[in-house]
Amino acid sequence: MGALHEPVLLAETLELLAVRPGGFWVDGTVGAGGHAAEILTRSAPDGRLLASDRDAEALAAAAQTLAPFAARARLLQADYRELPALIEEPPDGILLDLGVSSLQLDRAERGFSLKSDGPLDMRMDRRGGITAADVVNRLPEAELADIIYRYGEERASRRIARRIVETRRRSPFRSTLELAEVVRSAARRPRGRGIDAATLTFQALRIHVNRELEGLGDVLASLARRLAPRGRLAVIAFHSLEDREVKQAFRSLAAAGFRLLTRKPVRPGEDEVRRNARSRSARLRAIEREAA
Ligand SMILES: C[S@@+](CC[C@H](N)C(=O)[O-])C[C@H]1O[C@@H](n2cnc3c(N)ncnc32)[C@H](O)[C@@H]1O
């Protein structure tokens, strides 16, 4: 892991999950295992963890991080949307730290980065499904514009989609840098100010390719209902679309046997943002199941 891949809102998350010795815990987005290692440390000597992720490379990294706790941790490749059916006993706490990991972003060959050249892939689970190349090279212009607008909240979506379609007529897109350059020129934003002009389009493609928002509200409700009495569910979201889903799901649950632990989302402090820029947009929310 190293300091570069510091888990986001670590202390706050563990506090809200109320991790203590013993118990059964679930991390549905284990990534490189940063939060999971801390859950296992605090639940020693006999707390158990089910750690899953849909990315095989993430699980390999997690296996290394969690090696010292191997006897108490079970690793599983799964989409967290499958977890309600896979969990065999009521958990004391469930964590979802949504979105992409530094591991995925940093590896050019995964195709998530607009800064280093790689194939236009962006799939978290590479066992199947469509790639970002399929989306930009095949979808009709209007559909592409809708995706960029809806999942990127990108105001220049129509112009960007038009430019993508014009460019692919000459030759299909193959690499991330090729696409980033075309998007930047179509977005027409002044360089050197604020975020890279291709960021929102890349975010939109990633969300579409991985169906990130599909069924999120429903799965949160199902996971919450699997909790043990006084069990807790904590979710870290990284963009406003995702956070809106979490907020609404938690609000409905708060009227049905759950207690909201965060009236406002918990955000990282200045120190954390300085150390880890990726934490900038993180928002943590949590609920607790009422006592039986
Ligand atoms: C921000 S990272 C998690 C980092 C982790 N908490 C740590 O401390 O290292 C998000 C992880 O969620 C995974 N992920 C995203 N959507 C998923 C889904 N629907 N099902 C399972 N895993 C998912 C990604 O593959 C990625 O590894």
Side-chain angles (χ1 to χ4, degrees):
M1 288 263 309
L4 272 175
H5 297 169
E6 176 183 330
V8 169
L9 290 166
L10 182 63
E12 295 85 345
T13 303
L14 276 276
E15 181 73 29
L16 277 170
L17 280 175
V19 181
R20 58 194 175 278
F24 172 56
W25 312 88
V26 175
D27 182 345
T29 53
V30 69
H35 289 99
E38 195 60 28
I39 292 174
L40 283 158
T41 302
R42 294 214 199 172
S43 63
D46 56 353
R48 289 163 300 115
L49 175 75
L50 171 63
S52 58
D53 200 292
R54 66 173 161 182
D55 183 334
E57 274 183 31
L59 284 172
Q64 278 193 353
T65 312
L66 304 182
F69 313 97
R72 297 192 283 123
R74 187 176 143 217
L75 289 166
L76 181 70
Q77 185 171 8
D79 190 307
Y80 58 68
R81 286 169 283 217
E82 300 161 3
L83 279 181
L86 293 172
I87 296 172
E88 284 163 354
E89 60 183 298
D92 295 291
I94 303 176
L95 169 63
L96 294 182
D97 175 16
L98 302 169
V100 270
S101 67
S102 320
L103 209 67
Q104 291 161 336
L105 284 171
D106 293 349
R107 292 210 183 163
E109 72 269 23
R110 300 296 305 267
F112 288 99
S113 170
L114 44 81
K115 302 244 157 52
S116 46
D117 210 14
L120 272 172
D121 190 331
M122 299 197 192
R123 286 170 305 162
M124 291 183 183
D125 183 345
R126 292 198 282 184
R127 292 175 299 183
I130 54 161
T131 65
D134 295 331
V135 178
V136 295
N137 289 324
R138 293 192 195 157
L139 284 192
E141 183 179 323
E143 231 174 286
L144 205 49
D146 280 353
I147 289 168
I148 298 171
Y149 183 70
R150 181 159 5 119
Y151 296 146
E153 300 184 305
E154 166 62 73
R155 281 178 304 145
S157 58
R158 300 214 172 280
R159 220 163 48 226
I160 293 169
R162 194 179 321 129
R163 190 71 62 85
I164 289 176
V165 169
E166 281 163 13
T167 311
R168 79 188 186 193
R169 275 196 203 112
R170 293 194 291 276
S171 79
F173 286 93
R174 299 202 186 287
S175 86
T176 50
L177 289 192
E178 224 180 332
L179 177 66
E181 208 35 61
V182 168
V183 172
R184 281 185 203 117
S185 74
R188 283 199 235 130
R189 279 199 276 277
R191 278 180 189 260
R193 271 203 280 149
I195 59 167
D196 188 308
T199 303
L200 298 177
T201 299
F202 269 58
Q203 172 187 304
L205 291 172
R206 197 200 87 206
I207 292 175
H208 177 74
V209 163
N210 294 292
R211 301 179 293 111
E212 286 180 40
L213 293 167
E214 217 175 280
L216 179 58
D218 288 344
V219 81
L220 293 180
S222 311
L223 285 173
R225 292 195 193 99
R226 303 288 284 116
L227 286 168
R230 310 293 302 269
R232 293 176 169 204
L233 169 62
V235 182
I236 305 175
F238 284 90
H239 51 78
S240 51
L241 298 168
E242 212 166 58
D243 185 54
R244 208 173 302 153
E245 292 276 323
V246 180
K247 181 175 160 183
Q248 280 167 4
F250 282 9
R251 197 175 283 166
S252 313
L253 287 164
F258 293 85
R259 186 166 72 91
L260 212 50
L261 299 171
T262 45
R263 290 184 58 77
K264 290 215 162 106
V266 177
R267 312 284 311 257
E270 275 175 34
D271 276 359
E272 177 164 3
V273 174
R274 208 172 305 125
R275 284 197 313 272
N276 176 10
R278 215 183 72 80
S279 71
R280 194 181 44 215
S281 48
R283 297 175 186 87
L284 165 65
R285 296 179 188 269
I287 49 167
E288 181 185 55
R289 183 169 202 161
E290 284 171 2

